[in-house]
Amino acid sequence: MSKVRVRFAPSPTGGLHLGGVRTVLYNYLFAKNKGGEFIVRIEDTDQTRFVPGAEQYIFDCLKWCGIEPDESPVHGGAYGPYRQSERKEQGIYKQYAEQLLQNGQAYYAFDTPEELDKMRNDFKTAENPSPQYDQHVRMKMKNSLSLTEAETKALLDAGTKNVVRIKMPEHEVVQFTDMIRGDIQNETNLVDDKVLLKADGMPTYHLAVVVDDYLMKITHAFRGEEWLPSAPVHVLLWKYLFGLDNMPQWAHLPLILGPSGKLSKRDGAKYGFPVFAMNWTDPKTNELTEGFKEKGFLPEAFINLLALLGWNAGTEQELFTKAALIELFSIDRVHSGGAKFDYEKAKWFNQEWIKKLPIKNYELIIKNEFAAKGISITDDAAFEKVLELVKDRCTLLPDFYTQAVFFFKTPEQLDIEAVKPKWNSDKAAFFSSWIEKLQTLTAWDFATIEESFKALATEKNIKPGELQLPFRIMLVGGKFGPPVFEIAATIGKEETVKRITNALSQF
Ligand code: GLU
């Protein structure tokens, strides 16, 4: 078999949705599992939907996910250009459209937008509320099938605006085998005569995808199931232009489902979870859609959770490195049903990856967050120790700030309400005496501090357990954090005494 070459073919129209990243990922995992190549081709033929910045954003997302293309407009390669707009400039698509025209497999259509509207209106019936441009209406429209050769020539010579449409055959069945769904059959009389070449000379997606997949020697193509209805058009174009034996094997991936049907940007806003890989600001509306990266997800967790949205390894295992995913990925284990996105589960993946990865991998992100909040970290080793202490309590990266800030800054507010109900003069006296004892300690570590605390509690006849919560509130400000003697050992004697003294004046 020839070398496996797969492509991700995004249109630069906006942010990269979870489903889009999963498509990239499955393409990539499949290619790498087979020792093949992963190509990114930018499908920017629809100028009306072009959004500045969207292409760069796609590459930034891939980089963050650790998915490096072998060929792309940025990485180069032997099958360029990798942007369809640049391929159009070379006239690549036009010649294939002409070949189809000559063979009677496509035709010129001269209908104006008004005429198309009229057709949609005139042919509307109860059974067919939105008629399409197809074999039932084509002979009643203005095109090279309904006009004489001379009429067509006259219109073309006069430079009349036209598009090229595929002529769908009548009553044929177009068949192909989808890698996920198996045998797929479509009746040609149900499919419209799709536009292949637009009036501006740009190919539509339908023509471009076939021509480019052929010229780029693509062997397998994974794309969203929304493309399934157009697949018969692509199969026919393959048959007409390049022969079905050269056609890539298709895999149409199921939708990712949100709380109410197809996962949408709106779901994210409504339920407070990200749906894009990274933050995306729409340049037209300035609307910001939150990304997994900025929400505090690790890329390792993100690709792991995406891989499992529609695929499993056939075991109970859920945590996989990218290398393991590459090794284990197989198309037979991709489900054809929609995969439900569960944000709680997504967070679980992140929490597991926070625990699993060395702190060094994400330390800088947290350090920057501290800096942004006015705390500059100077001692990296001490910082790492603190992060290590709190990491089991963090689900998203910003949790580190909340869980660790009190190691670097005296808490501004103490949860006095948590202490008050059981606070009394004996406890106040305990802490006053303990401060004096602490001053005399020569060692300052977890065990020494704890021992001194317990010894004095026994002497004063107070259960140490009853003193631990007030002590925690004194050091942390709230009812959370790692073992309290560990905190005291880390922040130092002077700071511990200062915090106890300060709290005693408030309780
Ligand atoms: N440009 C298409 C999209 O963005 C790609 C579909 C395909 O992979 O063939 O959905």
Side-chain angles (χ1 to χ4, degrees):
M1 194 175 127
S2 55
K3 184 157 186 140
V4 165
R5 287 175 56 81
V6 306
R7 87 301 191 273
F8 174 54
S11 302
T13 53
L16 199 51
H17 181 276
L18 264 190
V21 196
R22 191 192 55 177
T23 305
V24 188
L25 184 65
Y26 284 13
N27 269 303
Y28 174 81
L29 295 177
F30 181 84
K32 294 299 141 190
N33 173 273
K34 304 266 183 240
E37 270 140 12
F38 170 64
I39 294 125
V40 173
R41 180 175 72 225
I42 298 294
E43 302 207 325
D44 56 351
T45 53
D46 191 348
Q47 295 294 315
T48 55
R49 293 176 66 223
F50 179 79
V51 175
E55 182 185 314
Q56 182 58 45
Y57 168 90
I58 290 166
F59 284 103
D60 291 345
C61 289
L62 295 188
K63 194 163 190 162
W64 177 63
C65 292
I67 299 178
E68 192 73 14
D70 298 299
E71 298 168 26
S72 83
V74 177
H75 300 76
Y79 297 88
Y82 291 89
R83 268 185 210 100
Q84 282 179 338
S85 55
E86 291 167 22
R87 300 173 72 76
K88 178 244 165 188
E89 278 158 26
Q90 303 192 343
I92 291 177
Y93 307 108
K94 206 160 187 294
Q95 74 186 78
Y96 291 105
E98 270 158 18
Q99 184 183 327
L100 293 167
L101 285 163
Q102 267 161 25
N103 294 339
Q105 291 148 337
Y107 59 93
Y108 292 108
F110 302 95
D111 315 274
T112 61
E114 295 72 39
E115 286 164 339
L116 291 174
D117 276 346
K118 188 170 176 316
M119 177 274 283
R120 285 184 206 111
N121 202 38
D122 290 355
F123 293 98
K124 194 151 85 181
T125 59
E127 302 85 66
N128 187 10
S130 40
Q132 354 180 56
Y133 202 118
D134 59 15
Q135 52 198 274
H136 308 290
V137 308
R138 66 163 81 105
M139 291 313 282
K140 301 179 182 105
M141 304 300 291
K142 202 202 284 176
N143 55 52
S144 54
L145 300 176
S146 62
L147 301 171
T148 64
E149 220 170 289
E151 284 167 335
T152 301
K153 186 170 179 308
L155 286 173
L156 289 175
D157 289 348
T160 313
K161 261 192 157 189
N162 66 79
V163 298
V164 174
R165 286 181 181 271
I166 186 170
K167 183 181 172 206
M168 288 304 283
E170 281 163 39
H171 302 289
E172 265 183 34
V173 172
V174 176
Q175 188 278 342
F176 73 98
T177 306
D178 184 279
M179 285 191 279
I180 301 173
R181 290 150 204 269
D183 185 46
I184 306 270
Q185 308 214 2
N186 288 281
E187 301 244 0
T188 51
N189 56 331
L190 299 176
V191 184
D192 60 321
D193 290 352
K194 292 202 187 301
V195 173
L196 302 178
L197 208 58
K198 291 181 275 187
D200 61 3
M202 275 284 196
T204 57
Y205 166 67
H206 307 295
L207 178 62
V209 70
V210 170
V211 170
D212 288 344
D213 283 349
Y214 172 72
L215 294 177
M216 293 182 174
K217 294 201 165 42
I218 300 302
T219 58
H220 300 78
F222 296 76
R223 60 182 180 186
E225 71 177 14
E226 66 274 21
W227 293 110
L228 214 40
S230 326
V233 175
H234 305 156
V235 175
L236 278 177
L237 289 175
W238 271 98
K239 185 170 141 190
Y240 296 157
L241 293 171
F242 309 118
L244 286 178
D245 289 348
N246 295 314
M247 186 170 77
Q249 289 190 52
W250 296 100
H252 290 88
L253 297 171
L255 291 177
I256 295 187
L257 303 172
S260 45
K262 186 180 174 205
L263 181 70
S264 68
K265 239 173 40 175
R266 226 168 295 134
D267 286 333
K270 185 163 165 199
Y271 300 100
F273 56 72
V275 284
F276 284 175
M278 287 167 60
N279 273 4
W280 167 254
T281 305
D282 186 318
K284 276 196 218 111
T285 59
N286 255 338
E287 182 201 0
L288 171 82
T289 308
E290 206 177 18
F292 277 81
K293 176 177 181 232
E294 291 78 1
K295 190 83 181 174
F297 276 79
L298 292 165
E300 290 82 355
F302 185 55
I303 63 163
N304 189 163
L305 73 93
L306 274 184
L308 272 80
L309 267 176
W311 170 87
N312 66 69
T315 61
E316 294 293 298
Q317 189 183 341
E318 291 187 286
L319 297 179
F320 298 95
T321 59
K322 188 173 83 179
L325 289 172
I326 290 174
E327 193 190 319
L328 296 168
F329 188 79
S330 92
I331 194 75
D332 327 331
R333 306 207 66 89
V334 175
H335 328 153
S336 59
K340 183 133 190 174
F341 174 69
D342 173 353
Y343 188 50
E344 291 311 311
K345 184 77 192 192
K347 288 198 289 188
W348 175 83
F349 276 104
N350 207 50
Q351 189 170 26
E352 292 301 312
W353 274 99
I354 283 179
K355 286 192 231 161
K356 210 169 145 81
L357 285 176
I359 299 275
K360 277 257 177 259
N361 283 39
Y362 49 83
E363 181 186 349
L364 187 62
I365 302 171
I366 304 168
K367 206 166 151 179
N368 288 341
E369 177 146 6
F370 271 71
K373 293 189 164 137
I375 299 176
S376 89
I377 303 294
T378 44
D379 183 345
D380 279 351
F383 188 53
E384 281 162 29
K385 253 170 111 180
V386 166
L387 300 186
E388 197 65 60
L389 270 181
V390 303
K391 76 178 196 178
D392 286 356
R393 296 176 163 75
C394 299
T395 305
L396 299 170
L397 292 181
D399 296 343
F400 276 94
Y401 179 81
T402 328
Q403 290 292 336
V405 59
F406 56 84
F407 282 97
F408 304 93
K409 200 172 145 193
T410 312
E412 276 158 20
Q413 279 203 327
L414 306 180
D415 183 0
I416 296 172
E417 292 311 310
V419 182
K420 256 197 180 146
K422 291 190 167 174
W423 188 247
N424 58 31
S425 55
D426 288 351
K427 289 182 182 167
F430 167 86
F431 281 101
S432 300
S433 320
W434 195 42
I435 292 176
E436 282 165 34
K437 285 244 167 9
L438 290 181
Q439 304 288 12
T440 65
L441 290 181
T442 46
W444 189 259
D445 55 61
F446 182 105
T448 313
I449 305 165
E450 184 180 29
E451 221 175 85
S452 141
F453 185 86
K454 289 197 170 148
L456 185 63
T458 314
E459 196 184 307
K460 300 253 181 209
N461 214 6
I462 311 177
K463 283 197 199 109
E466 290 209 4
L467 296 163
Q468 284 214 22
L469 176 70
F471 186 35
R472 174 173 296 283
I473 304 287
M474 289 169 176
L475 299 192
V476 175
K479 288 190 276 187
F480 61 95
V484 72
F485 300 112
E486 200 73 79
I487 301 172
T490 310
I491 63 176
K493 188 195 282 185
E494 200 186 316
E495 182 65 19
T496 302
V497 169
K498 188 178 121 192
R499 292 190 192 183
I500 299 173
T501 315
N502 168 43
L504 284 178
S505 68
Q506 297 185 46
F507 284 176

